[in-house]
Amino acid sequence: MDKIRIRGGSPLRGEIEIGGAKNAALPIMAAALLMDQPLRLTNVPHLADVTTMADLLAQLGVSIRIEGTTGPSSNETPRLLELTARDITKTTAPYDLVSKMRASVLVLGPLLARCGSAQVSLPGGCAIGTRPVDLHLRALTQLGAEIELRDGYIHAKAPNGLVGAEIVFPKVSVGATENLLMAASLARGETVLVNAAREPEVTDLVVCLNAMGACIEGAGTGRLRIVGTDRLHAATHRIVPDRIETGTYAMAAAITDGDIELVGARYDLISAAAEILTQAGVTIRETPRGVHVRRANGVLAGVDVMTEPFPGFPTDLQAQMMALMAPAQGAAMITETIFENRFMHVPELCRMGANINVHGATALVRGVARLRGAEVMATDLRASVSLVLAGLAAEGETTLSRVYHLDRGYERLVEKLSACGASIERIRE
Ligand code: UD1
């Protein structure tokens, strides 16, 4: 298994290109199942999770064409993915793919709406908590689906088609909102989703579905109204920039006392994180090309952070923020409200000299004068990138193992960081 070796201490300087959002690309790719015509997507990031979703869709009968590559130079053709679900030949999402990537469950809504039946493996446990799918299932039942759990699979049927309904989510769920948006687009009549997720990736899915001929109002609010239609049609859509990649590199600039322009980033998507970073002593501002980040006066200050659904501070930046706070002046209280068990980076950061105590869903980070390089292990996608950030700022050498977690969500991470002066390399084993 590959490792990443980092020699810390170099401030990052230069520019980093921000790619398309993984969490927008995955549901939007699944939306191709809703119609027999091509869905052309641009700005699709080249990531392991995108490949897993493409493999799953291919197994279901979707034909996939890829054009171009993404790359640091704007002369390169942007990556284009064309997905055509002319005939769906299978309606089962098997255990091996769903257990590899939980977002596979996003094929449930579209398969059910288009084919009247779907079998999707239950995702099972995952590194950041139990992550059930009860909200997805309950809401699909309200659209008339008959659902049974058998042999580790969700068996869903809607022999007479889905019928619109008012669905009030008891808890905000990104994935359940997305599954329901897709299912309701082909349901008979009107569906209203109350307490829907407002994440920009949900909005991007709405924009794409509307381009495919769906009729959805209320994007970006907690109330989405969908008027179902019989058929959707070919469309082209550009994936929104990745706000988590943006926030991660902003924190990489801050932790190394660097100065970076994040080209292609959108400031409005990261405003909650930008506000927190500003309080911590980081200057972060919008530029014509993206977002510019540098330390304001050389000193990082501890700030308290609580994760919340959008527009609050994202849980997917919690681990990176903790790494940033580890060498800050003063203390930071970091509270995780979205996922249980999302502090697996804490013992690893402590091995690098951080002083962090966890009490339930809150971690108290007492800033230390310096972090020290160590051998550490990646446990999930965002936890592993937080260790990369810590390594960039630490004295000496850090070796990170299990880096396949990073490949799920960060495209060309080593190349992007080394182009800005980081001493980082991937060791192939
Ligand atoms: C998505 C993102 C993930 C992000 C998360 C929260 C993708 C592919 N992944 O995950 O990166 O961290 O949003 O912003 O977009 N829950 C239930 N029952 C359900 C569904 C969810 O109890 O049926 C709970 C979860 O356990 C969690 C909370 O609701 O505690 C939020 O989860 P959800 O928003 O659904 O996250 P995902 O869509 O899985």
Side-chain angles (χ1 to χ4, degrees), residues 27 30-31 33-34 105-115 136 139-145 158 161-165 167 175-191 193 205 209 214 216 226-230 232:
L33 290 166
L34 291 166
V105 83
L106 292 168
V107 301
L108 177 62
L111 280 178
L112 191 58
R114 169 111 181 258
C115 308
H136 302 235
L140 288 169
T141 308
Q142 286 178 265
L143 294 190
L162 297 168
V163 184
I167 292 162
T177 303
E178 292 168 342
N179 243 332
L180 267 288
L181 276 169
M182 293 187 276
S185 293
L186 287 186
R188 277 197 304 283
E190 181 179 307
T191 299
L193 303 179
L205 173 64
L209 289 170
I216 306 172
I226 307 117
V227 180
T229 171
D230 288 345
L232 297 171

Side-chain angles (χ1 to χ4, degrees), residues 21 32 34 55 96 111 114 128 175 214 227 241 267 277 297 308 336:
L34 291 166
D55 287 347
D96 59 330
L111 280 178
R114 169 111 181 258
I128 57 173
V227 180
Y267 186 89
L277 287 174
N297 55 11
E308 280 169 317
E336 171 60 55

Side-chain angles (χ1 to χ4, degrees), residues 216-286:
I216 306 172
E217 286 170 10
T221 74
R223 187 181 175 87
L224 297 166
R225 180 171 165 269
I226 307 117
V227 180
T229 171
D230 288 345
R231 258 178 89 84
L232 297 171
H233 57 68
T236 300
H237 177 78
R238 183 180 166 81
I239 304 290
V240 71
D242 196 320
R243 65 195 168 101
I244 306 302
E245 190 187 27
T246 305
T248 300
Y249 288 125
M251 292 179 198
I255 200 170
T256 61
D257 200 0
D259 186 323
I260 295 260
E261 186 168 16
L262 301 166
V263 177
R266 259 177 55 189
Y267 186 89
D268 61 310
L269 303 183
I270 55 150
S271 47
E275 199 174 301
I276 293 285
L277 287 174
T278 305
Q279 286 172 30
V282 179
T283 302
I284 177 161
R285 60 181 176 83
E286 195 169 2

Side-chain angles (χ1 to χ4, degrees), residues 22-24 26-27 102-103 106 128 130-137 171-176 178 197 199 201 243 315-316 337-340 342 382:
K22 165 179 92 72
N23 287 353
L26 298 176
R102 217 181 160 277
L106 292 168
I128 57 173
T130 47
R131 296 183 86 174
V133 287
D134 56 316
L135 300 173
H136 302 235
L137 303 188
K171 182 174 184 179
V172 177
S173 162
V174 172
E178 292 168 342
E199 269 65 6
E201 296 76 23
R243 65 195 168 101
T315 173
D316 286 350
T337 72
I338 310 290
F339 290 112
E340 50 181 292
R342 205 174 195 180
R382 308 303 172 185

Side-chain angles (χ1 to χ4, degrees), residues 269-314:
L269 303 183
I270 55 150
S271 47
E275 199 174 301
I276 293 285
L277 287 174
T278 305
Q279 286 172 30
V282 179
T283 302
I284 177 161
R285 60 181 176 83
E286 195 169 2
T287 67
R289 297 202 305 160
V291 171
H292 180 243
V293 191
R294 64 178 172 79
R295 281 243 202 114
N297 55 11
V299 179
L300 268 178
V303 282
D304 295 346
V305 182
M306 185 183 284
T307 64
E308 280 169 317
F310 191 83
F313 188 93

